[in-house]
Amino acid sequence: MNILGINAYHGNASAAIVCDGRLIAAVEEERFNRVKYAAGFPAAAIRYCLKEAGLMLADIDHVTVPRNPYARLGTKLFYAVRMPSFARERVKVLAKFTGIREALAAAFDSNPGKLKAKFHRVEHHVAHLASSFYCSPFEEAALLSADGLGDFASSMWGAGFGPRMKVHGSIAFPHSLGLYYSAITQYLGFLKFGDEYKVMGLGAYGDPEFLEQFREIVKSNGAGFTLNLKYFTHHRTGPEMSWAEADKTPVLGKLFSDELPKYLGATRHPEEAIEQRHKNLASSLQVRLEEVYLGMLRQAAEQTQMKSVCLAGGVAFNCVANGKILDQTRFENVYVHPAAGDAGLAVGAAFYLWHQVFKQPRSFAMEHAYWGPGFSVAETRAAIDEAKLASGGFCIAQLDEEKLLRETAKIIGQGKILGWFQGRAEWGPRALGNRSIVADPRRPEMKEVLNRRIKHREIFRPFAPSILAEASGEWFEKSHPSPFMTMAYAVRPEKRDRIPAPTHVDGTGRLQTVTKTANPRYWKLIKEVERQTGVPVVLNTSFNDNEPIVCKPQEAIDCFLRTQMDALVLEDFLITKS
Ligand SMILES: [Fe+2]
């Protein structure tokens, strides 16, 4: 049975294919259309998934969409009556979703009547929960999803047992941890979609001086939390995030009310310098999030009496909060879906159908994130030839693996910046050793060098370490796996001076634990770095420059040339300046 999951007309548009209970491919549309967080219809992602599976559209038995316009209809009607603009928006959204069959047929020049696939809907947070539980290695687990908003809910929790999952509760609009974080992110002068990550990094430089105020902004209650709505606007202006029709980039309206600066002090303008007060506000925001999030997890542990927890939703990308779960709850195992944001809905909706609807047994665990496009050596060679690198002052060597890794590790150890491209592209927003920029973690200046030459990011944002999984306990205070860079753990104090570049100001690192089975070549590279330098770690940042992560060899070459990296590994080819 072939199931196609489609996250369409929503941020992080994506597609995934599950054949007889095994994931074959999953990818975000942004990797093809090169628009970060692109919404719209993911035609290119669907085309790729079909190609990878060796299928035609006619071979798809079921299409599943992680959206149910009929979920929480009563609450929606209540708001529709109060807000005519919201009602108009709902009608537009409904029209789009009822047209998915037509959009799919149109993308393949087919007649909608000829599609034999049956279409299904899975509620947004149910798909988030499914994305995490059904990809986890756990036979049973507590489940939690938390984000901004989807199908009029912002959080959902439940439990999974084998092929079945059960929802225990949810929190509906307008109360949302994701929107709380986004609103304060805007208030602090970070206005772009996805900037929450920056503010989380900034929080490490501050103290939670404003925690009492933030406890008034997000109030705890028995079931979880409520927002103090006088500080917000989304309950008055409407909950739908909009998308620029032209290029499908997300547009976020102002989420906080004029009461917020009256309560916390003046907002920060994006151009304004970041002062200690802003850092303390970011810290307070984060600490309050952790209090509520970890409280919900403690409650889930109590309710389910389970040892493992599966997480998804945008809030599950908060690696700082995730890093505290093992210490502050009874959970002993944590699994976070690598595409915990809305891209992951495509995978979740597909597995939900296979297990929960069709009652099929479990046979799959997502132990790596390499579900996107890959390229043959011949295709890579063609891209190198087309870029005329050989005549452009570059030395190109095709090497066997042992020599390639030895030379590459040497380049890293010399403090040079290396583009590292191999295998299939990562699923989710983190580069995990297949589309990465890799550098020496021992050099304190590396963060500044990377920012100046390549990444052009705010200097307060940390870079992340990839570490041999078997060495993680020696270097970090936790050895629990973090294969998808979704946990921040404290670096052991005696090791902090040895890997200063990816150690954040608070002594933590958002680590990727690399196993030989999940990514053999990347593991061998880090092993060789360890042999040459004594440190089983590399600094790993995504292969891009303010754009979606590179997907094709051509894009890697363009980024390499544009940003003046020192060397580039493209599959078996080592490219250096001659
Ligand atoms: Fe979501």
Side-chain angles (χ1 to χ4, degrees):
M1 184 192 293
N2 302 318
I3 303 173
L4 174 66
I6 303 177
N7 179 39
Y9 309 123
H10 197 82
N12 294 302
S14 63
I17 273 192
V18 171
C19 301
D20 294 330
R22 301 195 71 77
L23 182 66
I24 304 298
V27 69
E28 295 92 333
E29 186 73 0
E30 67 161 33
R31 305 297 159 93
F32 300 101
N33 71 6
R34 312 303 300 154
V35 176
K36 216 165 178 178
Y37 311 118
F41 189 79
I46 296 169
R47 249 180 235 116
Y48 158 70
C49 287
L50 288 170
K51 189 175 146 221
E52 190 68 47
L55 299 175
M56 310 284 284
L57 187 57
D59 299 320
I60 295 297
D61 303 297
H62 299 275
V63 175
T64 175
V65 179
R67 178 93 179 206
N68 184 357
Y70 303 103
R72 289 174 195 80
L73 207 51
T75 326
K76 283 174 188 165
L77 286 171
F78 173 78
Y79 280 95
V81 169
R82 285 175 24 151
M83 282 187 280
S85 62
F86 168 57
R88 281 195 295 277
E89 195 56 42
R90 299 301 313 168
V91 171
K92 272 199 259 170
V93 168
L94 251 175
K96 274 189 174 162
F97 277 88
T98 46
I100 282 214
R101 175 185 283 271
E102 286 69 23
L104 186 59
F108 287 83
D109 293 326
S110 177
N111 183 332
K114 284 192 180 161
L115 294 185
K116 68 160 189 173
K118 225 179 137 201
F119 281 66
H120 306 258
R121 297 179 184 288
V122 178
E123 190 184 334
H124 184 104
H125 282 278
V126 171
H128 271 315
L129 296 180
S131 77
S132 192
F133 178 55
Y134 292 131
C135 292
S136 79
F138 309 139
E139 189 52 29
E140 56 170 52
L143 318 176
L144 176 69
S145 165
D147 67 4
L149 191 69
D151 279 333
F152 237 57
S154 74
S155 321
M156 188 176 276
W157 53 91
F161 316 81
R164 309 284 294 162
M165 52 178 269
K166 196 166 186 295
V167 173
H168 293 156
S170 63
I171 293 177
F173 176 85
H175 304 289
S176 161
L177 278 184
L179 291 179
Y180 151 72
Y181 218 94
S182 300
I184 307 297
T185 296
Q186 291 180 344
Y187 162 79
L188 285 170
F190 296 90
L191 303 183
K192 284 197 201 131
F193 184 81
D195 275 357
E196 292 81 2
Y197 221 84
K198 299 180 184 176
V199 174
M200 187 184 71
L202 185 65
Y205 293 83
D207 293 312
E209 180 193 343
F210 301 94
L211 184 56
E212 282 311 317
Q213 286 96 316
F214 277 79
R215 285 179 178 146
E216 279 301 304
I217 295 170
V218 183
K219 296 185 176 214
S220 298
N221 67 15
F225 64 92
T226 55
L227 297 184
N228 190 337
L229 292 170
K230 75 176 177 184
Y231 300 116
F232 297 87
T233 58
H234 60 278
H235 58 294
R236 292 199 299 268
T237 55
E240 290 296 334
M241 186 174 291
S242 59
W243 312 93
E245 271 309 315
D247 64 359
K248 311 296 181 200
T249 49
V251 180
L252 204 57
K254 182 175 166 239
L255 290 169
F256 65 90
S257 75
D258 294 341
E259 291 299 314
L260 191 72
K262 283 186 203 160
Y263 186 49
L264 292 177
T267 54
R268 176 182 162 269
H269 187 273
E271 302 299 318
E272 202 182 320
I274 295 171
E275 292 166 4
Q276 192 55 46
R277 177 179 154 263
H278 302 126
K279 296 172 185 171
N280 291 352
L281 283 160
S283 166
S284 311
L285 161 74
Q286 174 67 26
V287 172
R288 184 59 187 142
L289 176 97
E290 289 168 14
E291 286 183 344
V292 177
Y293 182 62
L294 293 167
M296 290 170 82
L297 284 166
R298 276 192 291 273
Q299 199 174 33
E302 197 58 45
Q303 207 169 19
T304 61
Q305 292 293 309
M306 286 172 172
K307 299 258 186 289
S308 304
V309 64
C310 296
L311 301 169
V315 177
F317 278 134
N318 196 302
C319 56
V320 178
N322 290 344
K324 296 177 180 171
I325 293 173
L326 295 175
D327 284 338
Q328 297 193 26
T329 75
R330 291 190 349 209
F331 289 120
E332 294 170 12
N333 308 297
V334 184
Y335 184 89
V336 186
H337 187 88
D342 288 343
L345 295 170
V347 165
F351 275 113
Y352 183 83
L353 215 61
W354 176 250
H355 293 301
Q356 183 83 359
V357 177
F358 296 132
K359 303 187 169 36
Q360 295 294 323
R362 304 271 298 278
S363 60
F364 171 82
M366 190 186 281
E367 283 158 354
H368 66 74
Y370 313 109
W371 303 102
F375 300 86
S376 66
V377 172
E379 287 170 309
T380 312
R381 161 61 82 182
I384 293 169
D385 290 346
E386 201 177 310
K388 298 187 171 53
L389 291 175
S391 57
F394 293 94
C395 184
I396 298 149
Q398 185 171 4
L399 304 172
D400 63 55
E401 190 176 68
E402 200 185 52
K403 183 130 199 265
L404 179 80
L405 297 175
R406 205 165 53 235
E407 290 300 314
T408 305
K410 200 161 102 189
I411 289 167
I412 294 167
Q414 288 166 344
K416 293 181 177 166
I417 296 175
L418 177 91
W420 172 261
F421 182 109
Q422 58 146 351
R424 293 178 66 181
E426 292 89 345
W427 167 237
R430 304 276 97 83
L432 298 167
N434 280 13
R435 302 287 186 278
S436 291
I437 294 171
V438 175
D440 190 345
R442 300 170 302 163
R443 297 168 186 263
E445 74 281 9
M446 193 48 81
K447 194 171 147 181
E448 188 271 325
V449 172
L450 268 168
N451 263 326
R452 180 165 38 82
R453 287 184 47 196
I454 318 272
K455 300 291 286 190
H456 310 114
R457 307 193 323 189
E458 295 80 0
I459 194 69
F460 60 81
R461 290 174 61 194
F463 285 104
S466 295
I467 182 164
L468 298 179
E470 55 273 35
S472 64
E474 265 172 61
W475 288 74
F476 288 84
E477 289 182 353
K478 295 258 174 308
S479 57
H480 184 281
S482 175
F484 307 133
M485 267 191 189
T486 49
M487 309 279 181
Y489 295 144
V491 180
R492 288 190 178 277
E494 70 277 15
K495 301 285 192 193
R496 288 177 193 173
D497 286 350
R498 301 208 40 213
I499 50 167
T503 299
H504 200 24
V505 63
D506 59 358
T508 64
R510 187 194 65 194
L511 73 167
Q512 176 197 2
T513 49
V514 183
T515 62
K516 199 173 182 178
T517 45
N519 194 334
R521 185 174 276 197
Y522 192 46
W523 182 90
K524 285 184 214 165
L525 174 67
I526 305 171
K527 191 81 187 158
E528 180 60 22
V529 167
E530 181 188 35
R531 196 187 66 78
Q532 293 186 20
T533 69
V535 172
V537 180
V538 293
L539 182 156
N540 170 13
T541 184
S542 51
F543 200 145
N544 60 351
D545 170 23
N546 283 314
E547 61 184 327
I549 300 176
V550 299
C551 182
K552 301 187 283 192
Q554 291 89 329
E555 288 152 7
I557 293 170
D558 286 349
C559 185
F560 165 70
L561 295 174
R562 195 170 66 239
T563 58
Q564 300 178 346
M565 286 174 219
D566 298 299
L568 171 63
V569 171
L570 273 180
E571 299 296 348
D572 296 343
F573 299 94
L574 174 62
I575 302 164
T576 49
K577 289 171 187 161
S578 53

